[in-house]
Amino acid sequence: MTTTGPCGGGAAHLFDTLIKEQHLKNDAALCRAAGIGPPLMSKMRNGRQRVSAEVMLRLHEAFGMPFATQRLLLACDSSYPHRPHLRRAGAQQQAEAAQAAG
């Protein structure tokens, strides 16, 4: 399961943007600065776990990145709750495809 959408969003995009903007060396430096454990960072980056509100809060506190900006960077991920209309549309398309297939 991947959390990256067609426009390159998702957790990886959020983390890569922070690393670049904050002139950090790598994920380990981002983890240290934000107080996030490396295993959790890896799970989020690889789509095995969603970016939680707590992680977003830590990123905001550590780097001052507004929540709205974080959400925009995650926006291509239609599994996030702030874009439920995309989840419904995807489910509806799957149901229509299943009906057409027989």
Side-chain angles (χ1 to χ4, degrees):
M1 172 179 88
T2 180
T3 60
T4 302
C7 65
H13 185 59
L14 171 62
F15 299 148
D16 290 342
T17 301
L18 279 166
I19 288 169
K20 184 177 179 181
E21 288 182 357
Q22 299 298 319
H23 307 289
L24 299 170
K25 186 174 180 181
N26 52 31
D27 279 353
L30 179 63
C31 289
R32 283 190 297 274
I36 300 169
L40 177 60
M41 171 76 70
S42 177
K43 287 177 186 175
M44 291 183 293
R45 180 177 280 282
N46 293 307
R48 292 187 307 270
Q49 185 158 338
R50 292 184 185 187
V51 178
S52 67
E54 180 181 352
V55 169
M56 291 178 71
L57 180 61
R58 287 178 184 239
L59 295 173
H60 171 72
E61 290 174 343
F63 306 112
M65 179 179 273
F67 295 109
T69 303
Q70 292 182 46
R71 289 178 63 184
L72 284 173
L73 292 169
L74 294 167
C76 285
D77 182 2
S78 62
S79 68
Y80 275 78
H82 62 276
R83 299 185 74 198
H85 61 285
L86 294 178
R87 285 199 322 263
R88 284 195 304 271
Q92 184 178 4
Q93 288 172 351
Q94 287 177 352
E96 290 170 0
Q99 273 185 335

